[in-house]
Amino acid sequence: MHWKELLPVDTLQIEAFGLLHDYDRNVLTLLYQPLIGAGAYSLYMTMWSAHEQQDSLVTKMTHHHLLLMMRWDTKKLLEERRKLEGIGLLKTFLKNGEDPRHFTYELQPPLTPDRFFNDGVLNIYLFNRLGRNRYQDLKKYFSVEKPDLSEYKDMTASFNEVYDSLHPSEMTTSYEEEDDVREIASRNDNKGLVFTSSEFDFDVMKQHISDMIVTEKMFTDSVKKTIERLAFVYKIEPYEMGRIVEQAAIHHDELSDDLLRKEVSSWFALENRGKVPALQYRRQPAALQEFHTKAPVTEEEKAAQRYEQMTPYDILQRAAEGGKPSEADMKLVERIMDEQKLTPGVMNVLLDFIIETQDKKLSKNYVEKFASHWARARVKTVREAMDLAIKELQQPKKKASPASRGKGSSSARKDKVPEWISDQKEPDMSHEERSEKQDQLKKMLSKYKK
């Protein structure tokens, strides 16, 4: 709920260390903007402009003033602010015990081009967004050709060769260091992307690695950090990462950040026909969330909110009763979302619908048929997907052939359905009509059964 996180009356101040140079603005425009979008880019530049003015009316104000400047609502401001936070361009601090709340926004400079193109995360997402040709053009634009100085002699004078210290008799004033709570303005280097506590299981990974090939000493802090980042970007399970790490060690007799990145990149390209990972929101986009700004009331609305807040991985994990979803299921979901362009929330409804109606089985044929149908219907929101699922179940069942009628028909198993479907109620229906509808909702689409 955005109104719980931020209100227009909440005050703010903008801080930064040093200045944003023209070269930095070039990096932000050409490298960062394709990833964060025009909204977050505009917010970042507006904050820097306000900070550089050093005007208390601008740098210390309410969020209402910032909203007027951006012509946004609070929900939009929060969404764009989080993009800046996630990509490492902004730190947000909330002062304890203040009413109204007081925020300090600390602007972070962008990474230098060399760090950006060697980041292992940002450069991959930029490649995906722009394509090979444009990516290579930008990389060339930010590159400089270093001269070969191997045949030259360094003739640079040292400090003490040029300058001399003064004799005490020549000093007119004494120098004394004074304590000052203020800091000298300096450039605050960007530390790069920050990842929260990793869910990557190193113990499981090591179980799939021979200690004769990969020794414990090879797992330096830097290597571990790189493995975690690569596992996140490429969505690699620990057992699969173990095979990749082992291959890297076999080929090179060592482990390093660069070797791991190259090995993972080759593996992913082979597995995914040359594609590269895309930067995606992990849950239903806020703009498509019905319950991002209001609280659910009915059971159906509560289910819709859960679908909006969960990821497809969460749905699969819940179906596995907390265990790890199978690799086949995850690849199926990723492929379907990529091919049919389904939003995470819609995919959640589809998965839950099929899993519950098919005895916890994720049938590839069912998923593909429903996904293509919903994609053609241009379903984008969770509520649209839920309404369509109900309509699908209300389709009249095909008449059974005389040969199929018999004593077994009365005892045929009734398919289960998601709880939010079985709880559907129509207040203007009679008891008989409601009972008939409930029976219909508990049956799977007969036209898809074989």
Side-chain angles (χ1 to χ4, degrees), residues 65 76 87 123 150 161 172 421:
H65 294 99
K76 175 70 172 176
I87 210 161
N123 56 325
S150 59
E161 288 178 329
T172 56
I421 291 183

Side-chain angles (χ1 to χ4, degrees), residues 119-175:
D119 181 71
V121 177
L122 296 177
N123 56 325
I124 293 172
Y125 291 144
L126 184 68
F127 185 98
N128 180 282
R129 189 62 56 90
L130 300 180
R132 180 180 299 278
N133 292 338
R134 179 57 179 164
Y135 177 85
Q136 292 297 338
D137 288 343
L138 284 175
K139 193 172 183 180
K140 184 178 180 180
Y141 173 78
F142 284 105
S143 300
V144 293
E145 187 175 348
K146 291 185 177 181
D148 183 7
L149 300 178
S150 59
E151 298 181 359
Y152 291 76
K153 180 181 179 181
D154 189 351
M155 301 292 292
T156 308
S158 63
F159 178 82
N160 60 303
E161 288 178 329
V162 179
Y163 301 97
D164 198 4
S165 60
L166 292 176
H167 191 275
S169 62
E170 298 177 285
M171 297 183 183
T172 56
T173 57
S174 61
Y175 171 77

Side-chain angles (χ1 to χ4, degrees), residues 126-284:
L126 184 68
F127 185 98
N128 180 282
R129 189 62 56 90
L130 300 180
R132 180 180 299 278
N133 292 338
R134 179 57 179 164
Y135 177 85
Q136 292 297 338
D137 288 343
L138 284 175
K139 193 172 183 180
K140 184 178 180 180
Y141 173 78
F142 284 105
S143 300
V144 293
E145 187 175 348
K146 291 185 177 181
D148 183 7
L149 300 178
S150 59
E151 298 181 359
Y152 291 76
K153 180 181 179 181
D154 189 351
M155 301 292 292
T156 308
S158 63
F159 178 82
N160 60 303
E161 288 178 329
V162 179
Y163 301 97
D164 198 4
S165 60
L166 292 176
H167 191 275
S169 62
E170 298 177 285
M171 297 183 183
T172 56
T173 57
S174 61
Y175 171 77
E176 293 182 0
E177 185 77 39
E178 296 182 358
D179 294 330
D180 193 343
V181 295
R182 303 185 66 185
E183 293 184 358
I184 302 297
S186 61
R187 176 60 180 256
N188 181 35
D189 289 335
N190 192 315
K191 304 300 182 183
L193 299 182
V194 176
F195 285 75
T196 52
S197 56
S198 173
E199 297 180 356
F200 186 80
D201 197 328
F202 276 95
D203 291 335
V204 173
M205 181 192 74
K206 291 178 180 178
Q207 291 174 8
H208 293 80
I209 296 176
S210 170
D211 53 12
M212 298 292 291
I213 300 174
V214 185
T215 64
E216 190 65 31
K217 290 183 179 180
M218 292 184 179
F219 291 109
T220 64
D221 291 340
S222 177
V223 166
K224 285 184 176 181
K225 183 178 179 181
T226 298
I227 289 175
E228 289 179 339
R229 288 160 65 96
L230 291 172
F232 170 81
V233 173
Y234 292 91
K235 298 180 181 178
I236 305 175
E237 290 297 305
Y239 70 89
E240 189 68 60
M241 181 62 81
R243 290 165 50 190
I244 296 172
V245 169
E246 195 172 72
Q247 286 299 312
I250 290 174
H251 294 159
H252 306 282
D253 294 326
E254 63 173 338
L255 289 180
S256 68
D257 300 344
D258 288 338
L259 288 176
L260 286 171
R261 280 195 288 265
K262 291 177 181 177
E263 198 73 33
V264 169
S265 179
S266 299
W267 169 85
F268 188 87
L270 185 64
E271 291 283 319
N272 296 273
R273 301 176 184 176
K275 294 181 179 179
V276 293
L279 181 60
Q280 300 175 356
Y281 297 106
R282 308 186 73 184
R283 291 175 174 80
Q284 182 77 344

